[in-house]
């Protein structure tokens, strides 16, 4: 099974923005709550299970199904660390309707592969089970919903299969002890100190996985796999009326000895303290590919449910992208760092993170760090220029227009991913029309003054936490000197305001008398086969 990994270094990628506009958008009213796309069919069964269904024809004849369980490793007791992940594994073994391995054999018999089409992952706050089936097969849909029902309340935890799966999970833990696993073991307690997240890595503790009594495993399942914490999501090329009828028929009846009678403990929330002192962590490892430094600032996660919420998130994204573009420009001009970036993203359920990171040129860590700190200080001191903001507005509008123009080509896998985020974070999933309207109307409202206020609120320091990873033989300064540099370095020469020299403007600006070329020929041909062929058209221009 896949175990979700949090990516701790994130460059200023557009995917963050695209994910945001998939999740939320603008209602036509100037104020008030954002409303969910009416194309999403939503309901709650009498037993408390929620379902959401969306029709989408890309790719054709495919249905994507997800069972979202709002429970993960953060809910484990001390003697259960790793059992959320083990429960996920056991869901693919013996269940109420399938003996060991029968489930996998069935899906393989209809052409699905365990992995791409059938899989699951466990994270801190959720476990997500995934299926992809043909949309034109009533039998496949019926079986898939039977499987989802079994995952939700029919895992049997047969002793022999459980013992085998303990060994499988421990082997996953062993294979995870490479560079990324060792770094994660150091970083998570550092970043999440003082919270339950600090010692609830999803992979767990081998001693617990190996020795936890069956009763404690079943206890986790019966406590947290409850219908009020379960949502079934279905997106694909099928009539929502048919899908809804099947969901209601298959998932409404729960056996008397199952979820409806399980423990009713409230689902707790575990905050991460935000008032901690600044702290630095330097990790050297023989398998580290290169030195890298990351600066973090944490903020409470607040769902985007109104126009104002969305504008605030957009302002953070605009500010982060402008800082990232400045750092990229410095790298292109020969700065002591090879790459640097800024990003703002949802890290874990209670936290958003602002991050600035860089990779120094060989042997130039100190100079690279100073150069990045100078740009961060300049950003805070002088804010952004009108030219920088104008270019960001053009970029945001271009991305929104592209998403709008391609609205009928969006893959169901992307839509169901956005629905998962909507469900987990309590944010509305809105229509393409509303998304496009929101971006188009809000971008024009954003001013330099607003962006600079956002910088003061969200980029007002050099970060709360510093993490440096590097090879063991990397010529880094001592850890104490790195921390002192971070906290106390100030440029010896006064920092100048940013100069808006047009960097980042389009490479080609046509003159007023520019005459466009013409298409002199075009040729189309197909790529791929089966249910998802693609047509490629080649244009020859004059």
């Amino acid at each position: 099974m896949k175990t979700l990994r949090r990516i701790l270094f994130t460059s200023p990628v557009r995917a963050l923005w695209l994910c945001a506009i998939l999740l939320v958008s603008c209602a036509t009213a100037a104020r008030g709550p954002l409303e969910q796309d009416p194309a999403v069919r939503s309901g709650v069964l009498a037993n408390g299970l929620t379902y959401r269904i969306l029709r989408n024809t890309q790719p054709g004849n495919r249905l994507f199904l997800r069972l979202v369980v709002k429970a993960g490793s953060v809910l484990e007791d001390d003697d259960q660390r790793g059992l959320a992940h083990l429960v996920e594994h056991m869901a693919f073994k013996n269940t109420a309707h399938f003996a060991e391995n029968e489930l996998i054999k069935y899906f393989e018999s209809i052409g699905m592969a365990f992995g791409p089409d059938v899989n699951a992952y466990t994270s801190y706050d959720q476990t997500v089970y995934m299926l992809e089936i043909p949309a034109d097969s009533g039998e496949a849909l019926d079986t898939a919903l039977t499987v989802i029902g079994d995952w939700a309340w029919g895992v049997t935890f047969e002793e022999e299969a459980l013992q085998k799966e303990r060994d499988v999970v421990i082997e996953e833990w062993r294979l995870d002890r490479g560079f990324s696993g060792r770094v994660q073991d150091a970083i998570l307690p550092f970043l999440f100190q003082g919270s339950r997240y600090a010692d609830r890595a999803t992979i767990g503790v081998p001693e617990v996985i190996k020795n936890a009594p069956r009763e404690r495993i079943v206890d986790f399942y019966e406590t947290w796999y409850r219908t009020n914490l379960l949502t079934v999501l279905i997106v694909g090329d099928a009539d929502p009326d048919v899908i809804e009828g099947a969901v209601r028929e298959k998932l409404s009846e729960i056996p008397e000895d199952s979820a409806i009678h399980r423990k009713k403990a409230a689902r707790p929330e575990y905050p991460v303290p935000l008032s901690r002192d600044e702290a630095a962590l330097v990790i050297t490892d023989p398998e580290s590919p290169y030195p890298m430094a990351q600066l973090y600032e944490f903020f409470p996660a607040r769902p985007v449910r109104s126009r104002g919420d969305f504008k605030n998130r957009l302002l953070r994204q605009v500010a982060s992208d402008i800082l990232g573009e400045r750092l990229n420009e410095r790298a292109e001009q020969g700065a002591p760092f090879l790459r640097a970036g800024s990003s703002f993203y949802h890290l874990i359920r209670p936290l958003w993170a602002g991050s600035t990171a860089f990779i120094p040129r060989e042997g130039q860590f100190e100079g690279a760090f100073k150069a990045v700190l100078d740009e961060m200080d300049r950003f805070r001191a002088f804010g952004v220029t009108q030219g920088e903001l104008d270019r960001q507005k053009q970029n945001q509008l271009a991305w929104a227009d592209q998403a709008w123009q391609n609205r009928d080509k969006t893959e169901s896998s992307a839509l169901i991913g956005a629905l998962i985020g909507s469900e987990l974070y309590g944010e509305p999933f809105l229509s393409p029309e509303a998304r496009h309207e929101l971006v188009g109307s809000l971008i024009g409202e954003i001013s330099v003054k607003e962006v600079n206020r956002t910088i003061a609120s969200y980029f007002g320091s050099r970060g709360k936490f510093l993490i440096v990873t590097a090879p063991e033989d990397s010529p880094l300064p001592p850890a104490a000197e790195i921390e002192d540099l971070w906290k106390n370095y100030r440029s010896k020469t006064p920092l100048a305001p940013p100069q808006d020299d047009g960097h980042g403007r389009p490479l080609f600006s046509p003159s007023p008398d520019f005459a466009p070329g013409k298409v002199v020929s075009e040729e189309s041909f197909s790529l791929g086969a089966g249910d998802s062929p693609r047509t490629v058209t080649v244009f020859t221009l004059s």
Side-chain angles (χ1 to χ4, degrees), residues 367-421:
F369 202 178
K370 289 179 178 179
V372 169
L373 292 174
D374 282 346
E375 287 308 314
M376 294 177 70
D377 291 347
R378 192 191 323 274
F379 194 59
R380 291 195 306 277
F382 301 107
V384 304
T385 69
Q386 185 65 53
E388 288 176 316
L389 177 57
D390 289 344
R391 289 191 292 277
Q392 267 300 309
K393 288 182 175 184
Q394 291 172 6
N395 290 341
Q396 300 286 356
L397 286 172
W399 299 326
D401 285 342
Q402 184 178 36
W404 168 250
Q405 292 165 9
N406 293 322
R407 61 193 181 279
D408 295 330
K409 301 176 184 177
T410 306
E411 295 279 335
S412 293
S413 57
L415 292 173
I416 205 163
L419 272 173
I420 290 172

Side-chain angles (χ1 to χ4, degrees), residues 341-359:
S342 173
S343 57
F344 204 94
Y345 53 97
H346 209 148
L347 182 61
I348 54 176
R349 184 181 176 103
L351 287 182
W352 273 75
S355 175
T356 301
F358 70 90
I359 298 171

Side-chain angles (χ1 to χ4, degrees), residues 104-273:
I104 304 302
K105 289 178 181 177
Y106 169 76
F107 285 116
E108 289 177 343
S109 75
I110 62 171
M112 297 167 61
F114 184 74
D117 304 316
V118 187
N119 214 326
Y121 71 80
T122 304
S123 186
Y124 285 111
D125 288 292
Q126 71 267 10
T127 305
V128 178
Y129 296 87
M130 302 177 280
L131 291 172
E132 181 186 341
I133 63 172
D136 60 357
S137 170
E139 178 189 357
L141 176 60
D142 183 81
T143 303
L145 292 174
T146 299
V147 170
I148 286 175
D150 277 7
W151 285 339
W153 51 75
V155 180
T156 57
F157 299 97
E158 299 291 339
E159 189 64 52
E160 183 178 351
L162 178 58
Q163 290 305 118
K164 291 179 183 177
E165 215 56 31
R166 291 180 197 262
D167 293 338
V168 172
V169 175
I170 289 173
E171 180 64 11
E172 283 190 16
W173 177 91
R174 188 189 67 78
L175 293 173
D176 195 50
R177 293 307 87 201
F179 168 65
S180 61
R182 294 191 296 270
V183 169
Q184 177 179 266
D185 289 346
I187 286 179
L188 297 183
F190 172 76
L191 284 180
F192 303 140
Q193 181 182 344
S195 81
R196 196 177 179 99
Y197 290 88
D199 59 1
R200 288 299 185 275
T202 304
I203 196 64
V205 177
E207 291 76 14
V208 172
I209 297 165
K210 184 176 181 180
N211 299 314
R214 177 183 180 277
E215 291 74 17
R216 293 299 286 146
I217 303 168
V218 174
D219 191 45
F220 183 90
Y221 179 66
E222 292 188 345
T223 300
W224 302 119
Y225 278 56
R226 303 198 309 265
T227 47
N228 65 321
L229 297 179
L230 304 179
T231 300
V232 174
L233 306 175
I234 304 177
V235 177
D237 187 18
D239 184 346
D241 289 337
V242 174
I243 300 299
E244 184 177 31
V247 167
R248 287 189 166 275
E249 178 182 353
K250 296 291 293 186
L251 301 180
S252 289
E253 295 184 4
I254 301 176
E256 290 184 1
D257 61 346
S258 63
I260 203 166
H261 298 295
R262 289 177 182 169
K263 300 178 181 180
K264 299 299 181 181
R267 201 279 191 205
E269 300 294 336
Y270 295 105
V272 178

